[in-house]
């Protein structure tokens, strides 16, 4: 028996996110990949297109209204979306928006919809 039926992975088209998505799909978990494709790549998920338990959604985690309907029946969130170091240096306000407001949006929606588990991996950029 699976520990959860439906998962949402932010940054799902990124390097780590796409591997999480692939593993969840291979386990039979209905998986929703959410990515704005600023850094993520569609080709990381192309081999999953057409599978019944995979959904690919282009969405920015700072867009609360667009995120909200994606939380229908979600059991677990794997939060991999993050602003990379170059954004922090070039546009610190956007960095804050993605990493703080985006994460807050996800946490609020998880709370409001009864998500049972939230995994936040952060980013290697915090180590400098």
């Amino acid at each position: 028996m699976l520990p959860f039926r439906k998962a949402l992975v932010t940054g799902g088209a990124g390097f780590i996110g796409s591997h999480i998505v692939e593993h969840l799909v291979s386990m039979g978990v209905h998986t929703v990949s959410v990515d704005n494709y600023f850094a993520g790549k569609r080709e990381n998920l192309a081999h999953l297109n057409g599978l019944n338990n995979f959904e690919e959604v282009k969405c920015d985690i700072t867009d609360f209204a667009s995120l909200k309907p994606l939380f229908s029946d979600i059991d677990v969130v794997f939060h991999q979306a993050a602003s990379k170091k170059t954004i922090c240096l070039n546009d610190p306000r956007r960095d804050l928006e993605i990493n703080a407001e985006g994460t807050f949006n996800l946490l609020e929606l998880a709370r409001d919809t009864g998500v049972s588990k939230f995994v936040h991996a952060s980013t290697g950029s915090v180590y400098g």
Side-chain angles (χ1 to χ4, degrees):
M1 178 141 179
L2 297 172
F4 33 83
R5 293 181 329 264
K6 191 171 180 184
L8 185 139
V9 181
T10 67
F15 179 75
I16 295 172
S18 65
H19 285 85
I20 293 171
V21 168
E22 186 175 273
H23 185 69
L24 290 167
V25 168
S26 74
M27 289 174 47
V29 175
H30 185 106
T31 306
V32 180
S33 170
V34 175
D35 206 301
N36 66 0
Y37 299 100
F38 183 76
K41 299 175 182 165
R42 288 190 189 277
E43 54 265 26
N44 288 344
L45 301 172
H47 63 289
L48 301 174
N49 287 325
L51 296 177
N52 291 334
N53 63 328
F54 172 68
E55 291 178 58
E56 184 177 13
V57 179
K58 182 177 180 181
C59 180
D60 193 306
I61 63 168
T62 63
D63 185 349
F64 185 86
S66 294
L67 278 175
K68 191 172 183 175
L70 303 178
F71 272 76
S72 176
D73 300 322
I74 296 294
D75 300 307
V76 60
V77 172
F78 292 91
H79 179 28
Q80 296 295 132
S83 169
K84 304 234 186 230
K85 186 176 183 180
T86 55
I87 292 175
C88 175
L89 297 174
N90 298 328
D91 190 352
R93 187 166 301 279
R94 179 65 178 148
D95 184 73
L96 179 65
E97 182 181 28
I98 294 167
N99 291 335
E101 181 185 349
T103 299
F104 182 80
N105 286 343
L106 295 165
L107 288 167
E108 189 172 41
L109 286 165
R111 179 200 63 203
D112 292 349
T113 60
V115 169
S116 62
K117 187 173 287 234
F118 191 100
V119 181
H120 181 212
S122 188
T123 172
S125 295
V126 299
Y127 301 107

